[in-house]
Amino acid sequence: MSGPCITGKARLAGVIGQPVSHSLSPVLHNYWLARHGIDGAYVPLCVAPEAFETAIRGLQAAGFRGANVTIPHKEAAFAIADEVDPMARIAGSVNTLVFREDGTIHGASTDGFGYIASLQVEGVAPPALAARGPALLLGAGGAARSIAVSLLEQGIAVRLANRTAARAAELAASITAAWTKHAGQSGADVTVCSWDSWEEELGGISLLVNTTSLGMEGGPNPAWKPDLSRAGSDLVVSDIVYVPRETPLLRSAAAHGLRTVGGLGMLLHQARPGFRAWFGADVEVDEATVRHVLA
Ligand code: ATR
């Protein structure tokens, strides 16, 4: 593949965060730009919280098409958007900003889309999961929130287990409130279970999702040993940790003969809606993309 071709007409976008040097988004978007022969560039933008609004207005003035937003700006991005999609409204956070020609800003939350797409490309159909039982999510941070809402949208009931029980209860309550208020739905099917006994729940669930940093290289417990012996044979096990690609949870699932879905797919698929909005092309997440991002 030839190198990037950036002319005076190049379309511009970037990722705003602090820190942002670890982000894989520039590698991913610039790879897709080169692969599709698009005259454009995607740059890392390290911006302090107090400078966020100034930076956004500056990017708009400079003709950027928009930006991805990462830690710690996702709530500020929600606040600055003139309108947001339903997922962002329920999540209360935005990871994709699109600057429109009329000067308004559209905000989207694409993590949930990325998660569901990562299941689908592995042949896991959400309606089949919904029919088999609830999903069990480990963790109660921002990732758990996006994934929980996207599962509810697919008709899949959600159970939450978190080390700090109060955070799981708060997350369940706030998702229920936001779901009822913004999505025009009746109650959200979100319940909480104990962190100490989540492994005992496995018999009745269709999907297990780790949204904590357990098992992550350099994380709090890279040698985590989850016990999946109570799982039914059709349990699908997924992990949003992607370093290493074979996490302790996925290794344990594979040892029990269970279907697994790794975390890299969510990371790559969540980038597709932004790329489409800024650069005008539908992009694919294939093995070549994965190899390039991990290289
Ligand atoms: P994110 O927004 O990326 O989801 P986060 O808000 O920091 O990140 O959430 C991290 C999750 O990992 C939390 O659910 C956290 O549990 P607590 O709420 O109890 O802190 C969970 N987590 C982190 N380290 C953990 C550990 N050693 N054991 C169990 N859970 C852990």
Coordinates of all heavy atoms in Angstrom, one line a residue, residues 71 74 138-145 161-165 167-168 195 210-214 219-221 224 240, ligand 1:
I71 N -11.0 9.5 27.0 CA -10.8 9.9 28.4 C -9.9 11.2 28.5 O -8.9 11.2 27.8 CB -10.2 8.8 29.2 CG1 -11.2 7.6 29.4 CG2 -9.6 9.2 30.6 CD1 -10.6 6.3 30.0
K74 N -15.3 12.5 27.5 CA -16.6 12.0 26.9 C -17.8 12.7 27.4 O -18.8 12.8 26.6 CB -16.7 10.5 27.1 CG -15.7 9.7 26.3 CD -15.9 8.2 26.4 CE -15.0 7.4 25.6 NZ -15.3 5.9 25.6
L138 N -19.6 -8.2 33.9 CA -18.7 -8.0 35.1 C -18.1 -6.6 34.9 O -17.5 -6.2 33.9 CB -17.5 -9.0 35.1 CG -17.9 -10.5 35.0 CD1 -16.7 -11.4 35.0 CD2 -18.9 -10.8 36.1
G139 N -18.3 -5.7 36.0 CA -17.9 -4.4 36.0 C -19.0 -3.4 35.9 O -20.1 -3.7 35.5
A140 N -18.7 -2.1 36.2 CA -19.7 -1.1 36.3 C -19.2 0.3 35.9 O -19.7 1.3 36.3 CB -20.4 -1.0 37.7
G141 N -18.2 0.3 35.0 CA -17.6 1.6 34.5 C -18.3 2.0 33.2 O -19.4 1.5 32.9
G142 N -17.6 2.9 32.5 CA -18.2 3.5 31.3 C -18.4 2.4 30.2 O -19.4 2.4 29.5
A143 N -17.5 1.4 30.1 CA -17.7 0.4 29.1 C -18.9 -0.5 29.4 O -19.6 -0.8 28.5 CB -16.4 -0.4 29.0
A144 N -19.1 -0.8 30.7 CA -20.2 -1.6 31.1 C -21.5 -0.9 30.7 O -22.5 -1.5 30.2 CB -20.2 -1.9 32.6
R145 N -21.5 0.4 30.9 CA -22.7 1.2 30.6 C -23.1 1.1 29.1 O -24.2 0.8 28.8 CB -22.5 2.6 31.1 CG -23.6 3.5 31.0 CD -23.3 4.9 31.4 NE -24.5 5.7 31.4 CZ -25.2 5.9 32.5 NH1 -24.9 5.4 33.7 NH2 -26.4 6.5 32.5
A161 N -22.6 -7.5 37.8 CA -21.8 -7.8 39.0 C -20.6 -7.0 39.1 O -19.8 -6.9 38.1 CB -21.5 -9.3 39.0
N162 N -20.4 -6.3 40.2 CA -19.2 -5.4 40.3 C -18.6 -5.6 41.7 O -19.3 -5.7 42.7 CB -19.6 -4.0 40.0 CG -18.4 -3.1 39.8 OD1 -17.5 -3.4 39.0 ND2 -18.3 -2.0 40.6
R163 N -17.2 -5.5 41.7 CA -16.5 -5.6 43.0 C -17.1 -4.6 44.0 O -17.4 -5.0 45.2 CB -15.0 -5.3 42.8 CG -14.2 -5.3 44.0 CD -12.8 -5.0 43.7 NE -12.6 -3.7 43.0 CZ -11.5 -3.1 42.7 NH1 -10.4 -3.8 42.9 NH2 -11.4 -1.9 42.1
T164 N -17.3 -3.4 43.6 CA -17.9 -2.4 44.5 C -19.4 -2.4 44.2 O -19.9 -1.9 43.2 CB -17.4 -1.0 44.2 OG1 -15.9 -1.1 44.2 CG2 -17.9 0.0 45.2
A165 N -20.2 -3.1 45.1 CA -21.6 -3.4 44.8 C -22.4 -2.1 44.6 O -23.3 -2.0 43.7 CB -22.2 -4.1 46.0
R167 N -21.6 0.6 43.1 CA -21.5 1.1 41.7 C -22.4 0.4 40.8 O -23.0 0.9 39.9 CB -20.0 1.0 41.3 CG -19.2 2.2 41.5 CD -17.9 2.1 40.8 NE -17.8 2.8 39.5 CZ -16.8 2.7 38.7 NH1 -15.8 1.8 38.9 NH2 -16.8 3.4 37.6
A168 N -22.5 -0.9 41.0 CA -23.4 -1.7 40.1 C -24.9 -1.3 40.4 O -25.6 -1.1 39.4 CB -23.3 -3.2 40.4
W195 N -20.9 -9.8 43.4 CA -19.6 -10.1 42.8 C -19.0 -11.4 43.3 O -18.3 -12.1 42.6 CB -18.7 -8.9 43.2 CG -17.3 -9.1 42.7 CD1 -16.2 -9.3 43.5 CD2 -16.8 -9.0 41.3 NE1 -15.0 -9.5 42.7 CE2 -15.4 -9.3 41.3 CE3 -17.4 -8.8 40.1 CZ2 -14.6 -9.3 40.2 CZ3 -16.6 -8.8 38.9 CH2 -15.3 -9.1 39.0
N210 N -16.7 -9.6 30.2 CA -15.8 -8.9 31.2 C -15.6 -7.5 30.7 O -15.0 -7.3 29.7 CB -14.5 -9.7 31.3 CG -13.6 -8.9 32.2 OD1 -14.0 -8.4 33.3 ND2 -12.3 -8.8 31.8
T211 N -16.0 -6.5 31.5 CA -15.7 -5.1 31.2 C -14.7 -4.5 32.2 O -14.5 -3.3 32.2 CB -17.0 -4.2 31.1 OG1 -17.4 -4.0 32.5 CG2 -18.1 -4.9 30.3
T212 N -14.2 -5.3 33.1 CA -13.2 -4.9 34.0 C -11.8 -5.0 33.4 O -11.7 -5.5 32.3 CB -13.2 -5.7 35.4 OG1 -12.6 -6.9 35.1 CG2 -14.7 -5.9 35.9
S213 N -10.8 -4.5 34.2 CA -9.5 -4.6 33.7 C -8.8 -5.9 34.1 O -7.6 -6.1 34.0 CB -8.6 -3.4 34.1 OG -9.0 -3.1 35.4
L214 N -9.6 -6.8 34.7 CA -9.1 -8.1 35.2 C -8.5 -8.9 34.0 O -9.2 -9.0 33.0 CB -10.1 -8.9 35.9 CG -10.5 -8.5 37.3 CD1 -11.7 -9.2 37.8 CD2 -9.3 -8.7 38.2
G219 N -2.5 -4.9 34.1 CA -3.7 -4.5 34.9 C -3.6 -5.0 36.3 O -2.5 -5.6 36.7
P220 N -4.7 -4.9 37.1 CA -4.6 -5.3 38.5 C -4.4 -6.8 38.8 O -3.9 -7.1 39.8 CB -6.0 -4.8 39.0 CG -6.9 -4.8 37.8 CD -6.0 -4.5 36.6
N221 N -4.8 -7.6 37.8 CA -4.7 -9.1 38.1 C -4.6 -9.8 36.8 O -5.5 -10.5 36.4 CB -5.9 -9.6 38.9 CG -5.7 -11.0 39.4 OD1 -4.8 -11.6 39.1 ND2 -6.7 -11.5 40.2
W224 N -5.7 -13.6 36.6 CA -7.0 -13.9 37.0 C -7.4 -15.3 36.6 O -7.1 -15.7 35.4 CB -7.9 -12.8 36.4 CG -9.4 -12.9 36.7 CD1 -9.9 -13.2 37.9 CD2 -10.5 -12.6 35.8 NE1 -11.3 -13.1 37.8 CE2 -11.6 -12.8 36.6 CE3 -10.6 -12.3 34.5 CZ2 -12.9 -12.5 36.0 CZ3 -11.8 -12.1 33.9 CH2 -13.0 -12.2 34.7
I240 N -13.7 -7.5 26.9 CA -13.3 -6.3 26.1 C -11.8 -6.0 26.3 O -11.3 -5.1 25.6 CB -14.1 -5.0 26.5 CG1 -13.9 -4.5 27.9 CG2 -15.6 -5.3 26.3 CD1 -14.4 -3.1 28.1
Ligands
ATR1 P1 -14.1 1.9 32.2 O1 -14.8 3.2 32.1 O2 -13.1 1.7 31.1 O3 -15.1 0.8 32.2 P2 -13.6 2.2 35.0 O4 -14.7 3.1 35.2 O5 -12.3 2.5 35.7 O6 -13.2 1.9 33.5 O7 -14.1 0.7 35.5 C1 -13.2 -0.3 35.7 C2 -14.0 -1.6 36.2 O8 -13.1 -2.6 36.5 C3 -14.8 -1.3 37.5 O9 -16.0 -2.0 37.4 C4 -13.9 -1.8 38.6 O10 -14.5 -2.2 39.7 P3 -14.8 -1.2 41.0 O11 -16.0 -0.4 40.6 O12 -15.0 -2.0 42.1 O13 -13.5 -0.3 41.1 C5 -13.3 -3.0 37.9 N1 -12.0 -3.5 38.5 C6 -10.8 -2.9 38.4 N2 -9.9 -3.6 39.0 C7 -10.5 -4.7 39.6 C8 -10.1 -5.8 40.4 N3 -8.9 -6.0 40.8 N4 -11.1 -6.7 40.7 C9 -12.4 -6.6 40.3 N5 -12.8 -5.5 39.6 C10 -11.9 -4.6 39.2

